[in-house]
Amino acid sequence: MQHRAFPATASRRLSGFTAATGLVAAAMLLAHSPSVSAQAAYPSRAIKLIVPFPAGGGTDLIAREVANKVAVSNGWSIIIDNKPGSGGNLGVDAAAKSAPGGYTVVLGQTRNLAINPTLYPKLPYNPEKDLTPIVAVASAPLALVVAADSPYKTVADVVAAAKAKPESLNYASSGSGTVAHLATELLQKTAGVKFTHVPYKGAAQGSTDLIGGQIQMYMSSVPTLIGFVNNGKMRFLAVTSAKRTADLPAVPTVAESGFKGFEAVTWFGTAGPAGLPKDLVAKLNAAFNKALQDPEVKKKLASQGTDALGGTPEQFAKLIHDDIGRWAPIVKESGAKVD
């Protein structure tokens, strides 16, 4: 589904005239070279930004907000192309198999760029070989919540209960192999305890069962949970980012709660197919970085529970590489399977 977001050094033996003539001819030849003229005019047509999840979801909203600013600021035309399916793999694979001309890019995230390489036994693409990182766009913490009437007031309370009765506490996630599922698995490993995982297809039923007492805790995104907290149905215990979030200053991090070094976030970033020319990568990187520094963009992203990032293509490449290695053992130890 597509939506338009917006709009040689000359020889010394040559005479001055001959050298000048040669330089002019060379310049004319370069100017009419298809590859050079195409890149100089880039973009000469609409850029397609693939979002590997449905329209209206968190990834889609981030993509539209940032793409709109990039388009307006640069006078470009950017089309959002939603290609959901297979945990985000279909959209990323489509971008990986596109022509490396700078006209197809994808907004990937932790799951399909860092977790799925281990989770899926036959992933159709390799994030580090088949894609060209452009820029890290945003990151979003998760939050650990309990029901409002739960006896657990802190993460330490939950851990103590799990140590007293291993596997007696049930926790919900929106699906096996999701960042929320694996973040809770990481918490178990860090704390040396064992919970019982109850995966749901989506967030709604997990929230209902937490409030009803069938589930003792739930890890999900802040926007998914904050309405229940504000209505007095749930209580935040901690956020999973390295630092407290600006919109929840009173909620401690898991690291602050006695588990030093703990961090588990969902990040988002743009990438193109392998072989994307460096000058086009630089142009796209600069355009996205400029958009991410805009105060209004930062404000709107913050309202969706995300923080604007930015940076170099090399930094984003390192993030992907490091997180593939970081999540691989957690995926294997969790026994996570895909349907």
Side-chain angles (χ1 to χ4, degrees):
M1 183 178 183
Q2 297 185 348
H3 301 274
R4 185 171 299 277
F6 285 77
T9 302
S11 171
R12 292 181 180 178
R13 292 178 292 176
L14 293 175
S15 67
F17 175 79
T18 303
T21 302
L23 289 171
V24 170
M28 292 178 66
L29 180 62
L30 286 171
H32 287 83
S33 170
S35 61
V36 174
S37 61
Q39 291 186 22
Y42 176 85
S44 60
R45 53 187 172 85
I47 297 170
K48 179 168 65 177
L49 174 57
I50 296 175
V51 176
F53 293 98
T59 304
D60 181 69
L61 294 174
I62 292 169
R64 291 176 190 278
E65 182 61 43
V66 178
N68 178 65
K69 188 63 182 182
V70 171
V72 171
S73 298
N74 295 278
W76 296 354
S77 177
I78 300 180
I79 295 172
I80 302 296
D81 185 7
N82 295 95
K83 287 186 179 295
S86 190
N89 295 343
L90 294 182
V92 175
D93 188 45
K97 289 179 169 57
S98 67
Y103 290 99
T104 299
V105 296
V106 64
L107 185 70
Q109 59 164 243
T110 305
R111 183 173 181 183
N112 46 48
L113 296 185
I115 291 174
N116 287 358
T118 305
L119 183 65
Y120 284 76
K122 294 182 180 180
L123 197 67
Y125 58 89
N126 182 316
E128 297 190 272
K129 293 181 179 180
D130 300 331
L131 294 169
T132 300
I134 297 171
V135 67
V137 170
S139 69
L142 301 168
L144 180 65
V145 294
V146 293
D149 59 357
S150 169
Y152 310 124
K153 308 296 183 183
T154 66
V155 178
D157 290 343
V158 169
V159 170
K163 285 184 176 180
K165 291 184 178 182
E167 301 185 59
S168 63
L169 299 186
N170 297 328
Y171 78 89
S173 80
S174 56
S176 183
T178 60
V179 179
H181 167 212
L182 298 174
T184 314
E185 292 289 324
L186 179 60
L187 176 59
Q188 291 183 113
K189 183 177 181 179
T190 303
V193 296
K194 188 65 178 176
F195 307 131
T196 297
H197 180 214
V198 182
Y200 292 89
K201 291 186 176 181
Q205 189 60 46
S207 298
T208 299
D209 284 0
L210 178 72
I211 295 169
Q214 290 83 11
I215 300 296
Q216 283 70 56
M217 56 185 172
Y218 188 15
M219 186 90 79
S220 191
S221 66
V222 174
T224 298
L225 303 170
I226 197 164
F228 294 103
V229 174
N230 290 341
N231 289 335
K233 301 292 186 180
M234 297 181 187
R235 183 170 64 248
F236 284 123
L237 295 188
V239 291
T240 63
S241 47
K243 298 179 180 179
R244 297 192 185 198
T245 63
D247 52 339
L248 298 174
V251 180
T253 65
V254 173
E256 287 179 307
S257 302
F259 306 95
K260 188 176 180 180
F262 185 95
E263 182 181 10
V265 300
T266 296
W267 44 255
F268 308 82
T270 56
L276 192 61
K278 289 184 177 180
D279 58 335
L280 300 190
V281 174
K283 194 164 188 177
L284 286 164
N285 177 270
F288 274 89
N289 268 306
K290 183 179 178 181
L292 291 167
Q293 292 166 6
D294 182 82
E296 189 62 25
V297 171
K298 287 185 175 182
K299 182 179 179 181
K300 289 185 177 180
L301 290 179
S303 71
Q304 298 167 24
T306 61
D307 297 317
L309 293 179
T312 67
E314 293 76 17
Q315 289 171 326
F316 186 32
K318 185 177 186 303
L319 177 61
I320 295 170
H321 175 80
D322 289 351
D323 266 22
I324 289 175
R326 180 168 178 258
W327 287 114
I330 306 300
V331 172
K332 293 173 182 176
E333 291 168 17
S334 72
K337 303 293 182 182
V338 291
D339 295 331

